[in-house]
Amino acid sequence: MGLKRLIVRRGQPFGLQLHFNRPFHFGTDYLTFVAETGPVSLELLGTRATFSLTQARKGNVWSAFDFTVDTNSLLVSLFTPANAVIGPYTLKIEISQGQGHSVVHPLGTFILLFNPWNAEDDVYLPSEILLQEYIMMDYGFVYKGHERFITAWPWNYGQFEEDIIDICFEILNKSLYFLENPSRDYSQRNDPVYVCRVVSAMINSNDDSGVLHGNWGEDYSQGVSPLEWNGSVAILWQWSARGRQPVKYGQCWVFAAVMCTVTRCLGVPTRVVSSFRSARNMDGNLTVDTYYDQNAEILSTRKRDKIWDFHVWNECWMIRKDLPPGYNGWQVLDPTPQQTSSGLFCCGPASVKAIREGEVHLPYDTPFAYAEVNADEVIWLFGDGQAQEILVHNTSSIGKEISTKMVGSDQRQNITSSYKYPEGSPEERSVFMKASRKMLGPRRASSPFLDLLGSRGSEAQPAQLQLHLARTPEWGQDLMLKLHARRVPDRVHPQGPIRLVVHFSAQALLHQGDTQEPLWRQIVHLNLDFGNEIQWPLLLPYDNYRNKLTDEKLIRVSGIAKVEDTGRSMLVLKDISLEPPHLSIEVSKRAEVGKALRVHITLTNTLMVALSNCTVVLEGSGLIDGQISKNIGTLAPGRTIQIQVDLYPIKTGPRQLQVLISSKEIKEIKGYKDIFVAASRAS
């Protein structure tokens, strides 16, 4: 953040040395310190404090104490209370003798932050190991992809980079809360619940001049694809430099990663959390409906309910004095604009403990957060203008592999158990019913969810169907699958063979649950009898998906099998994530501050097509001031490119170098390298 400024945490004493033009006499020279913040500073609002010189500190109040007089100078400790308003302060001193004339001298400015090291602060976190991870760590990982293909994306949080702390307060000062009533807004900046809620609203730009403009389409020509960001610093710098105009573009992982930068910078312990198969349950009925036609095509719907392949939010650590006892600790905050809360696009803080226990009546936005990880999934067969039958009713398919970076490690930590009891356990179903009663209220009697309990969707099927990959899927290659089909007894067909007609369809998936037109279809006829299992090969040629995938490179293969005798249908699904080529990063020697460090980056194009318009971008707090970007042209199929870059590390300690190679064909080929930077040795 810089060595030229005074930045302190509340509840933490700091020292000042004052120099006078004559000797200072305690008892006859009276000093009054004045600390002010905000546009209108008033003691009643907590934005102005006046305090005199005393021998000892007087508790959790503004104090000037523990002073030492040395002829013409005074060394004094100043204390800010652990519940003080955070922000930039001006400090003045008023000097008088008895009842005589007083003189005011400006002393300077300082910035006050939350203090998770102080037991009296509402963000107190009693673990140095956790504080190093959730406050001091300026890099990490965001987890993306699919529950079976989880990818760790390196991210440069950079909360201590130049100007970031000022930009964080710019963000607060651009919020609608501040613009509507600046004095009241400032007076509430002592409360992490309030501050984090404001940040959640300001990271997106749906209501205001927030940081990021969301884009879930495929046209990013007016900005930067969300896949091409390496970190938060470039985004925040651009927002500030261009007059606080929203930066294009963001999606959930970008929103959450930028919020992590801001809240860590302000002093709130924060981590980034990913949930796979996350529900967007806008109508609050705890079910998300998906519709297929008889050709196994996922149908678009006007309903806003979706199942996202993954969704990313934040957890911030704080005391919740506004809640009953027991709900302190990690709180969900989601800056991705999905629905309004108190009129603004923000979400949380919602206690993770409250989500686990189904206490959805507790603020803020707990019903929405609960549904994200607990809603039921209902898949319908649709035809003749209406839903005809239930193909699947899943009570355990939402909220899978909830993940965050492991403390002190590059590994992923599964934290699903902090959000819910084990799927299908008596505790989990009990909590679900409690939450549904609270959320549905009078609507409960006619809830589609409860209607399912007596529906024939739960009847046993006469066959078991599964789709398996015959080989590892690679982008640019034909995809090989096998349908495994086995006859099992059911009430309608206790014995004898059955005939199935299976319609297959493949569609490109966007991570927020939308699909595109089918890119492949096939029909298979099967005769199934007891005692034999059929393995039917399926080929999805590269030419079918070559120019039809979204940036996520995710395909859903769906099959609907109709039993000829009864007309009943069965669904089989397989999601396929196509891995991009992998790059390697090596450094040549020991890293030292200010000394050249050569980095070797190697990428082999393992695809059948050329990668055109390739660029490489390097970023890493403490290693690079900003970014290094190079155009590297076209990389032909099977060819290898080697890139050499010299870095001059800026800061000591553990650092992470993030590398992104993007092309017209693949937006994101990412890699990282952990680098420990030593202090420069004297030559």
Side-chain angles (χ1 to χ4, degrees):
M1 292 179 180
L3 301 175
K4 301 176 183 178
R5 313 168 68 186
L6 179 59
I7 301 170
V8 295
R9 301 190 183 277
R10 60 188 194 176
Q12 169 189 356
F14 61 95
L16 289 180
Q17 187 167 17
L18 306 177
H19 297 274
F20 305 105
N21 58 2
R22 63 169 177 80
F24 173 78
H25 301 290
F26 181 70
T28 58
D29 291 320
Y30 296 97
L31 301 184
T32 301
F33 291 87
V34 180
E36 295 177 318
T37 188
V40 179
S41 301
L42 296 172
E43 292 195 29
L44 183 65
L45 296 175
T47 52
R48 186 175 193 269
T50 59
F51 47 103
S52 301
L53 197 63
T54 57
Q55 292 284 3
R57 183 159 70 86
K58 298 179 179 179
N60 189 35
V61 294
W62 289 88
S63 307
F65 67 103
D66 191 23
F67 62 89
T68 303
V69 179
D70 183 10
T71 59
N72 288 21
S73 68
L74 173 71
L75 187 64
V76 61
S77 292
L78 266 60
F79 178 82
T80 62
N83 60 350
V85 167
I86 65 164
Y89 278 80
T90 59
L91 186 64
K92 299 181 290 188
I93 190 169
E94 192 175 292
I95 305 176
S96 64
Q97 289 183 305
Q99 301 299 316
H101 177 68
S102 64
V103 180
V104 176
H105 297 276
L107 296 181
T109 62
F110 65 95
I111 294 175
L112 192 62
L113 302 175
F114 292 113
N115 189 355
W117 281 268
N118 188 301
E120 295 183 316
D121 198 303
D122 284 353
V123 298
Y124 175 58
L125 180 57
S127 166
E128 184 61 30
I129 294 174
L130 297 184
L131 287 166
Q132 289 301 314
E133 181 72 45
Y134 298 132
I135 290 288
M136 303 304 295
M137 185 68 73
D138 59 4
Y139 61 86
F141 298 96
V142 178
Y143 295 99
K144 297 174 70 256
H146 185 275
E147 61 173 309
R148 295 188 183 90
F149 317 103
I150 297 174
T151 302
W153 269 41
W155 194 270
N156 179 33
Y157 295 122
Q159 66 266 35
F160 304 120
E161 291 298 288
E162 194 73 26
D163 299 325
I164 294 298
I165 192 168
D166 298 304
I167 294 171
C168 291
F169 287 108
E170 277 186 64
I171 289 170
L172 296 182
N173 290 345
K174 280 294 178 180
S175 78
L176 294 182
Y177 293 102
F178 175 82
L179 297 175
E180 183 181 294
N181 191 326
S183 298
R184 184 174 62 188
D185 172 73
Y186 252 84
S187 72
Q188 295 181 83
R189 293 188 186 181
N190 65 327
D191 180 7
V193 172
Y194 176 80
V195 170
C196 290
R197 190 161 167 79
V198 171
V199 173
S200 169
M202 279 301 297
I203 297 301
N204 69 74
S205 60
N206 283 41
D207 307 296
D208 40 45
S209 298
V211 175
L212 280 158
H213 184 96
N215 185 344
W216 287 267
E218 297 172 68
D219 181 8
Y220 306 119
S221 58
Q222 300 302 308
V224 175
S225 165
L227 295 166
E228 295 185 58
W229 297 113
N230 267 343
S232 307
V233 177
I235 294 169
L236 292 168
W237 281 350
Q238 181 178 322
W239 178 79
S240 179
R242 296 185 182 178
R244 277 72 69 184
Q245 291 299 307
V247 176
K248 298 176 180 179
Y249 293 104
Q251 290 183 12
C252 63
W253 68 92
V254 186
F255 289 115
V258 172
M259 179 161 179
C260 183
T261 297
V262 173
T263 47
R264 282 189 186 181
C265 183
L266 295 176
V268 182
T270 305
R271 60 189 185 182
V272 175
V273 173
S274 299
S275 175
F276 295 87
R277 305 208 83 242
S278 178
R280 186 173 185 250
N281 185 216
M282 302 301 290
D283 55 16
N285 67 355
L286 283 178
T287 65
V288 179
D289 300 313
T290 304
Y291 298 91
Y292 279 83
D293 69 13
Q294 62 184 1
N295 296 315
E297 178 183 344
I298 304 171
L299 301 176
S300 61
T301 172
R302 292 184 180 180
K303 288 186 65 176
R304 294 185 297 164
D305 284 14
K306 301 287 184 186
I307 298 175
W308 295 23
D309 282 313
F310 68 93
H311 184 51
V312 186
W313 58 74
N314 301 96
E315 287 179 2
C316 295
W317 181 275
M318 66 189 74
I319 290 173
R320 291 298 300 272
K321 294 177 179 177
D322 58 324
L323 300 184
Y327 297 100
N328 299 333
W330 290 118
Q331 313 289 320
V332 168
L333 286 125
D334 190 347
T336 299
Q338 297 185 76
Q339 70 170 10
T340 58
S341 174
S342 301
L344 295 180
F345 278 93
C346 62
C347 181
S351 163
V352 173
K353 177 72 176 299
I355 294 169
R356 188 174 195 259
E357 300 301 332
E359 301 296 349
V360 293
H361 62 289
L362 298 177
Y364 293 90
D365 310 305
T366 309
F368 187 81
Y370 177 86
E372 284 187 304
V373 297
N374 286 291
D376 280 6
E377 177 187 21
V378 184
I379 302 177
W380 301 82
L381 181 64
F382 193 86
D384 298 326
Q386 62 181 359
Q388 294 180 331
E389 65 175 292
I390 296 165
L391 296 170
V392 177
H393 170 210
N394 276 327
T395 62
S396 60
S397 63
I398 302 294
K400 310 292 284 186
E401 296 290 331
I402 303 174
S403 302
T404 192
K405 178 185 176 296
M406 190 175 289
V407 174
S409 166
D410 286 353
Q411 299 301 306
R412 179 177 65 91
Q413 180 182 359
N414 188 323
I415 58 171
T416 308
S417 62
S418 66
Y419 279 83
K420 52 186 176 181
Y421 291 96
E423 293 286 6
S425 67
E427 296 90 348
E428 183 267 337
R429 283 290 95 183
S430 173
V431 168
F432 184 89
M433 295 308 296
K434 175 173 69 173
S436 70
R437 284 193 293 270
K438 291 180 178 181
M439 290 174 66
L440 296 174
R443 296 179 294 156
R444 185 171 180 265
S446 61
S447 165
F449 156 66
L450 292 174
D451 293 343
L452 297 176
L453 297 180
S455 79
R456 60 178 185 170
S458 60
E459 291 180 7
Q461 299 285 8
Q464 288 182 352
L465 304 178
Q466 291 181 319
L467 277 171
H468 296 281
L469 285 165
R471 67 183 185 195
T472 302
E474 293 184 21
W475 194 86
Q477 305 283 340
D478 294 343
L479 303 180
M480 305 290 295
L481 300 98
K482 281 187 179 180
L483 171 66
H484 291 237
R486 186 167 65 91
R487 176 79 167 92
V488 293
D490 71 313
R491 185 173 57 83
V492 179
H493 297 90
Q495 58 188 7
I498 60 171
R499 290 175 57 82
L500 299 179
V501 180
V502 191
H503 288 78
F504 287 102
S505 170
Q507 293 172 267
L509 284 181
L510 282 78
H511 95 266
Q512 76 274 24
D514 291 328
T515 59
Q516 295 185 332
E517 290 294 314
L519 51 86
W520 171 84
R521 295 184 190 275
Q522 188 166 330
I523 300 175
V524 173
H525 297 266
L526 299 176
N527 290 311
L528 278 183
D529 204 350
F530 293 102
N532 67 317
E533 179 177 306
I534 293 177
Q535 296 188 20
W536 193 280
L538 299 169
L539 174 67
L540 202 169
Y542 170 58
D543 286 343
N544 282 65
Y545 70 81
R546 177 173 183 171
N547 297 315
K548 297 180 181 178
L549 295 190
T550 62
D551 289 336
E552 281 80 10
K553 301 291 187 285
L554 193 62
I555 298 173
R556 171 163 293 174
V557 178
S558 309
I560 290 185
K562 179 165 286 190
V563 183
E564 287 193 345
D565 288 353
T566 64
R568 291 294 311 280
S569 299
M570 294 175 284
L571 177 69
V572 61
L573 299 175
K574 185 67 176 180
D575 290 343
I576 303 172
S577 178
L578 300 174
E579 287 291 317
H582 296 277
L583 56 83
S584 68
I585 308 166
E586 299 296 334
V587 293
S588 57
K589 59 180 181 179
R590 179 176 184 264
E592 291 184 30
V593 169
K595 300 287 180 68
L597 177 68
R598 178 150 293 181
V599 177
H600 302 269
I601 303 164
T602 304
L603 173 67
T604 299
N605 181 4
T606 56
L607 309 183
M608 296 170 62
V609 296
L611 299 177
S612 58
N613 300 329
C614 295
T615 60
V616 59
V617 179
L618 289 79
E619 186 170 335
S621 290
L623 295 171
I624 300 168
D625 184 9
Q627 295 178 328
I628 296 174
S629 180
K630 287 187 174 184
N631 293 318
I632 53 177
T634 297
L635 184 57
R639 297 297 299 272
T640 297
I641 189 170
Q642 294 184 329
I643 307 159
Q644 293 185 359
V645 181
D646 285 340
L647 308 182
Y648 294 84
I650 306 162
K651 298 177 183 178
T652 60
R655 302 289 161 194
Q656 186 189 79
L657 175 67
Q658 297 96 20
V659 178
L660 166 71
I661 295 180
S662 61
S663 67
K664 180 181 177 183
E665 291 71 24
I666 299 181
K667 295 297 183 187
E668 79 297 353
I669 302 173
K670 282 208 169 196
Y672 74 95
K673 184 72 174 179
D674 290 330
I675 299 173
F676 186 85
V677 180
S680 179
R681 291 179 290 193
S683 54

